[in-house]
Amino acid sequence: MLVEMSKVRIIGLKALFPQTLTALYDFGKIQFDDLSPKITSGDLPIDCMGQPEDRETEIEQLEEALQRASVVCQGLYGAGEHHLSKGQGASLFQEESPELLDHAVRVLDKLEPQIKDLATRREALEKKLAELEKYKPLIAEIAPIIEKHTLDESKDMGALVLLIDKKYESLIKMLEPMLCEISSDQTRVIDAAPDKGVTPLVVVCEKRYMDTIWSFLKKEHTTQIKLPSELEDVPITEAMQHLQEQSEAVPHQIATIDESIAKLGEDSFEELVGLKDALHDRLEEFAVTKLFGETAYTFVIEGYIPKSDLADLEATVTAVDPNVMIEEEPITPALYPEVPVEVKPRKGFMNSFRAALGLWGLPLYGQMDPTAIVAISFPFLFGMIVGDAGYGLLMILVCLALRKKMPDSIGVKNITGVLLPAGVMTVVFGCFYFEFFGNLAYEYIPFFRNIHPIEITSWFTLPFLRTEKTMMTTLLFLALGVGVFEVAAGLVLGIVNGKKSGHKKHMFEKGGLLLVIFAALLLVVGMMMPQVQAVLGASGAAIFRYVAYVVLGLGLIFAMFGGGIMGAVEMLEAVSHSASYIRIMAVGLVGALLADAANDLMFKIMPNIGGVVIAIVLHILNFAIILFSPSIHALRLTFLEFFGNFFERGSRPYRPFARAGKEEIQ
C-alpha cells in the first residue's frame, strides 16, 4: 500500500524562520517543494528567498571541511555510513556556521596527522610483510643448504642464491667445473628443489670471488635473488634468520597499529561523526532555503508529508511559535506526478517483493501498490517455467541454508525471500508435470513407474507430462492462456488506476482493449470448438459470432476514442504481449529436456560411473541455469507484459528533509 500524503504550506514571520527550519529538520518527515518555478512564472506573488552575499564562500568552506571529515572517518572506521544515534551531538547541530567551522578545523587538525602517521606506518609494514612473504617459501628451501655448506667452512665463505629457468636446467651440471676454473676448488653449486618452472641454485664460494662469479653467471640465463637493501651486506644465513624473525614480528606490529586506530576512533567517534553530520546538515539547510519563498516580512514553505504525521507536524510548528501557520492543500489527480511516493514497509517475504519492485520503479502516486501482484505473478510464472519438484526442493534448501549462514545480510534476505515462494511453486508445478529432476521419478524409480497419467481428454492428462509430443500443443495453449489472463487482468487494473487518477480516456482505451481481447476469445472458441456449434445450432452459432463481432467493433471504437492512433498501437502490443508468454513453454521445455537427457545418459547410454558423473554435472549446470534464466523471463513477463497495461512510474521517491542518518520513514 502507498503511503497517503498531505500537501502543506507553512507561513510565518521571517524572524522565526531559523527556528522553524531547525524544528522541521529535527522532525525529519517533510519533503519540500521547489517554489521557484511558480514564483518565476507569476503563479505565486512572492519572491524567492534571498541568500546572504557570503553564502557561496561559506558553502565552499563547509564542503571542504566535510570532505576532510569524511576522509578521516573513512580512515578510522572504514567504508560505509557512520552516524550518531538519536540524542547524541545535539550541541554541534546548534552551532552557527563560523563556530562549527572553527570546531571542525580544531578537531581535524588534531586527528589528521595522527591518522596519517598510523596509516603510513601500517602501509609500510604491510608492504614489508608482503615482501617477506615473497621470500618465505624460498628461504625454507635454501636455508638448510646454505647452513650445511658454510657452517664448517672458513669465515671467508659466502653464498649466492640464484634462479635458473627450467629450460636451461641442463646447464646446472656444467656450472660447477666452470666456476671452479675462475675461482677456487672450494666453489660448490647446490641444486635446490625446483618450484613453478624455475630451479633455485645456491653457489657457495670464497667471498673474494663473488663479484667475478656473479659477472659470469649473469651471462648464463640466471637471476640473482636480491634480499632487502638493509640485508645486502649481512651473511646469508644471518639474513635469512632476520627475515624469519621479521615475518613473525611484523603482523604483531600491524595489530598494535590497528588497536591504536580503533582506540583513537572510539575516543573520537561522537565528536568526529557528529561534526561530519553537522556539516552535512548545514549544507542541506543552505540548499533547501533556495526552494522557499518570502515577502517583506514572512517566509513561505511548501512540501509533502505522510498524512499520518500531519498532526505531529502541526504540533512541531506550533511549538516554535503560535504565529507560524500551517495549511493543508488538497491533492488533486493533476498533482499526482509531483507527489513523492513511498511504499509502506511489509513484513516477511512481502518485504522482499517490495525490494524486487524497486527493480522496475515506484508507482505513480494515487495508483495501487503492486507489491502483492508481484508476489503472486513472479512465483507462479517461475514455477510454471521450471516445474520440477526436485529442483524446487533443492532451491528451498539452498535458500534456507543461505539464510542460516548469513542471517544479517539484507541482500540474502531479499533474494531468498523472492526465490523461496518461487521454489514452493516449482514443487507444486513439479507435481502437476510429474517431474523430479526430469523424468527420474516416472521412468527410473520403481514405485513411481507404476503411476500412469489419467487421460482427461486426448490433449490433457493428470499428471500433465509436458515433454510428451502429444502434450506440447496443449502446453502452448496453457502458456498463451496465462498470457491472455495476465494481459486482461492488467487492463482491468489499468481501468481502476484510470478512475483513481481521473483519466477517463485511459479508462476508455483500456476498456476497449479488454473488449477486443474478449471478442477475440469468443471468435477463437467458436472456431476451434465444434461443440459450441453443436449446442447452439446453426442460427445460435451465427448469433454467437455476430455478438463477438459487435464486441470487437465496440472495443476498437473505445480504444481509438481513448488513445487515438496509439489505441491501435496498444491493440497490437496487447496481442504481442500475450504471445510473449510462449516463452513459458519454450524456456521450461529446454530445462526439462536437459534433465531428461542427463537421466537417459546415466541409465541408458552410459550406465557406469562416468555416466553418473556426467549426469550429475549436467543436473548442476541445469540448476544453475534455472536460478537465472527463468528468473529473468518471469520478471520480464511480470514487469513488461503484465505491468505495461496499468503501471505508471512515479518520478519522485519520498526523501524527507532529515538529519544525516535519519532519513528513513519511521
Side-chain angles (χ1 to χ4, degrees):
M1 185 175 179
L2 302 188
V3 175
E4 186 179 2
M5 293 288 179
S6 291
K7 184 174 183 180
V8 295
R9 176 178 292 166
I10 302 171
I11 303 174
L13 295 175
K14 289 174 71 173
L16 299 173
F17 175 72
Q19 303 95 300
T20 305
L21 184 61
T22 300
L24 293 175
Y25 214 162
D26 292 333
F27 183 64
K29 298 290 182 67
I30 185 170
Q31 181 167 332
F32 297 123
D33 248 2
D34 186 1
L35 297 180
S36 55
K38 297 178 183 178
I39 295 172
T40 305
S41 64
D43 293 340
L44 283 177
I46 57 176
D47 299 321
C48 292
M49 184 164 282
Q51 306 294 318
E53 293 182 0
D54 61 345
R55 178 56 54 82
E56 291 302 321
T57 302
E58 193 174 352
I59 289 175
E60 289 179 5
Q61 294 172 339
L62 289 168
E63 287 177 341
E64 181 183 353
L66 177 59
Q67 184 176 9
R68 290 178 63 191
S70 299
V71 171
V72 173
C73 280
Q74 185 172 357
L76 283 175
Y77 313 116
E81 294 290 329
H82 303 279
H83 303 287
L84 297 182
S85 57
K86 189 174 182 180
Q88 286 185 308
S91 60
L92 291 169
F93 299 102
Q94 297 171 0
E95 291 183 356
E96 296 296 328
S97 294
E99 289 78 13
L100 182 61
L101 282 168
D102 289 342
H103 193 164
V105 169
R106 287 197 308 272
V107 172
L108 294 173
D109 285 349
K110 176 184 174 183
L111 289 176
E112 278 179 332
Q114 298 180 59
I115 289 295
K116 185 176 181 181
D117 177 61
L118 290 169
T120 302
R121 286 163 53 196
R122 193 184 197 285
E123 184 179 354
L125 287 170
E126 287 177 338
K127 185 177 179 182
K128 187 173 184 179
L129 184 61
E131 192 175 45
L132 292 169
E133 291 295 328
K134 180 177 67 175
Y135 290 112
K136 256 183 158 181
L138 196 59
I139 290 171
E141 293 288 346
I142 64 177
I145 298 174
I146 293 175
E147 185 175 358
K148 177 181 176 182
H149 288 83
T150 61
L151 188 61
D152 296 329
E153 301 286 348
S154 75
K155 294 182 180 179
D156 290 332
M157 297 299 291
L160 288 173
V161 183
L162 310 169
L163 293 177
I164 185 168
D165 289 341
K166 284 285 288 182
K167 60 183 177 180
Y168 301 117
E169 195 173 8
S170 58
L171 294 174
I172 295 174
K173 297 178 180 178
M174 303 168 54
L175 283 176
E176 189 170 316
M178 297 169 67
L179 293 177
C180 287
E181 289 182 10
I182 63 173
S183 57
S184 69
D185 292 337
Q186 297 185 58
T187 301
R188 298 287 182 270
V189 177
I190 299 97
D191 180 5
D195 181 37
K196 295 183 179 178
V198 296
T199 300
L201 299 180
V202 179
V203 178
V204 181
C205 63
E206 294 181 55
K207 290 181 180 178
R208 58 196 176 108
Y209 293 115
M210 288 183 70
D211 290 339
T212 305
I213 289 176
W214 173 234
S215 298
F216 172 79
L217 290 173
K218 280 195 296 187
K219 303 173 184 178
E220 300 297 332
H221 308 288
T222 60
T223 303
Q224 184 178 8
I225 295 177
K226 289 287 187 180
L227 294 176
S229 57
E230 68 270 18
L231 300 177
E232 286 182 353
D233 297 327
V234 178
I236 190 94
T237 52
E238 295 180 18
M240 290 183 176
Q241 183 179 359
H242 179 77
L243 289 174
Q244 185 63 34
E245 292 172 353
Q246 286 292 300
S247 65
E248 296 173 358
V250 169
H252 293 293
Q253 295 172 7
I254 292 175
T256 301
I257 291 178
D258 288 341
E259 290 175 4
S260 300
I261 292 175
K263 182 67 168 60
L264 183 61
E266 184 180 347
D267 294 340
S268 311
F269 183 83
E270 184 169 347
E271 187 172 37
L272 177 60
V273 175
L275 274 172
K276 179 179 69 68
D277 286 351
L279 291 166
H280 169 273
D281 291 353
R282 189 58 46 83
L283 287 167
E284 288 291 304
E285 286 181 19
F286 290 166
V288 297
T289 55
K290 299 177 181 180
L291 308 178
F292 305 149
E294 65 178 5
T295 64
Y297 302 103
T298 62
F299 68 86
V300 181
I301 298 174
E302 288 188 2
Y304 293 91
I305 186 172
K307 199 171 188 67
S308 58
D309 295 315
L310 183 58
D312 292 336
L313 175 64
E314 292 173 345
T316 300
V317 171
T318 305
V320 174
D321 193 281
N323 294 319
V324 180
M325 298 181 295
I326 181 169
E327 302 173 354
E328 183 181 8
E329 298 184 21
I331 297 179
T332 61
L335 291 176
Y336 284 174
E338 302 175 13
V339 181
V341 178
E342 173 71 9
V343 181
K344 282 187 177 179
R346 301 290 190 127
K347 293 183 179 180
F349 293 134
M350 290 298 289
N351 195 52
S352 301
F353 285 101
R354 177 178 178 263
L357 179 63
L359 297 173
W360 191 243
L362 294 172
L364 184 71
Y365 184 79
Q367 294 187 355
M368 64 183 66
D369 175 12
T371 303
I373 298 172
V374 179
I376 295 172
S377 176
F378 175 81
F380 181 87
L381 295 176
F382 185 97
M384 190 174 180
I385 292 173
V386 179
D388 190 294
Y391 291 129
L393 288 172
L394 191 56
M395 275 182 61
I396 293 171
L397 292 175
V398 170
C399 289
L400 293 176
L402 287 173
R403 285 189 159 227
K404 185 175 181 180
K405 186 176 181 62
M406 294 178 279
D408 299 325
S409 172
I410 301 299
V412 169
K413 285 182 180 178
N414 286 336
I415 293 173
T416 57
V418 171
L419 290 180
L420 269 172
V424 172
M425 287 305 301
T426 301
V427 173
V428 172
F429 272 99
C431 296
F432 175 68
Y433 295 143
F434 204 11
E435 291 182 16
F436 184 83
F437 294 110
N439 59 0
L440 184 63
Y442 66 83
E443 284 201 17
Y444 298 108
I445 297 179
F447 174 77
F448 291 104
R449 288 177 61 183
N450 296 326
I451 299 176
H452 299 287
I454 302 171
E455 185 174 325
I456 308 300
T457 67
S458 59
W459 46 268
F460 190 84
T461 63
L462 281 176
F464 181 79
L465 304 181
R466 59 174 171 172
T467 55
E468 296 291 332
K469 293 181 180 179
T470 53
M471 297 293 109
M472 288 187 181
T473 303
T474 305
L475 181 61
L476 173 65
F477 283 110
L478 285 175
L480 284 173
V482 172
V484 171
F485 174 81
E486 286 211 343
V487 169
L491 292 171
V492 172
L493 295 175
I495 294 171
V496 174
N497 281 338
K499 184 178 180 181
K500 284 186 174 184
S501 59
H503 294 154
K504 291 185 178 179
K505 286 200 170 184
H506 283 188
M507 294 174 61
F508 274 103
E509 181 184 5
K510 304 298 182 185
L513 294 174
L514 190 61
L515 288 176
V516 168
I517 290 177
F518 181 66
L521 283 175
L522 291 178
L523 291 173
V524 169
V525 169
M527 288 186 295
M528 299 189 64
M529 296 187 67
Q531 297 90 334
V532 175
Q533 295 188 18
V535 172
L536 298 177
S539 57
I543 295 173
F544 183 86
R545 288 194 298 273
Y546 291 144
V547 169
Y549 292 142
V550 170
V551 173
L552 180 63
L554 288 174
L556 292 172
I557 293 171
F558 287 166
M560 296 292 287
F561 173 76
I565 189 65
M566 290 304 298
V569 175
E570 290 278 354
M571 278 187 283
L572 295 176
E573 284 189 352
V575 174
S576 66
H577 287 171
S578 300
S580 290
Y581 282 76
I582 295 175
R583 71 184 67 240
I584 292 175
M585 169 194 175
V587 178
L589 282 178
V590 169
L593 292 173
L594 180 57
D596 289 355
N599 295 331
D600 293 344
L601 176 70
M602 179 168 50
F603 289 102
K604 293 180 179 179
I605 302 174
M606 293 178 63
N608 51 43
I609 187 64
V612 172
V613 171
I614 295 174
I616 291 174
V617 170
L618 288 176
H619 276 300
I620 293 173
L621 176 63
N622 199 22
F623 180 69
I625 295 172
I626 280 170
L627 289 177
F628 293 99
S629 181
S631 297
I632 293 170
H633 288 293
L635 286 173
R636 173 196 163 88
L637 291 172
T638 298
F639 287 141
L640 190 60
E641 277 75 13
F642 189 9
F643 276 34
N645 294 304
F646 70 92
F647 186 90
E648 291 184 61
R649 288 188 181 90
S651 58
R652 294 187 68 188
Y654 176 55
R655 295 288 183 269
F657 180 65
R659 298 288 182 192
K662 302 173 180 63
E663 295 87 351
E664 297 84 1
I665 187 171
Q666 301 297 320

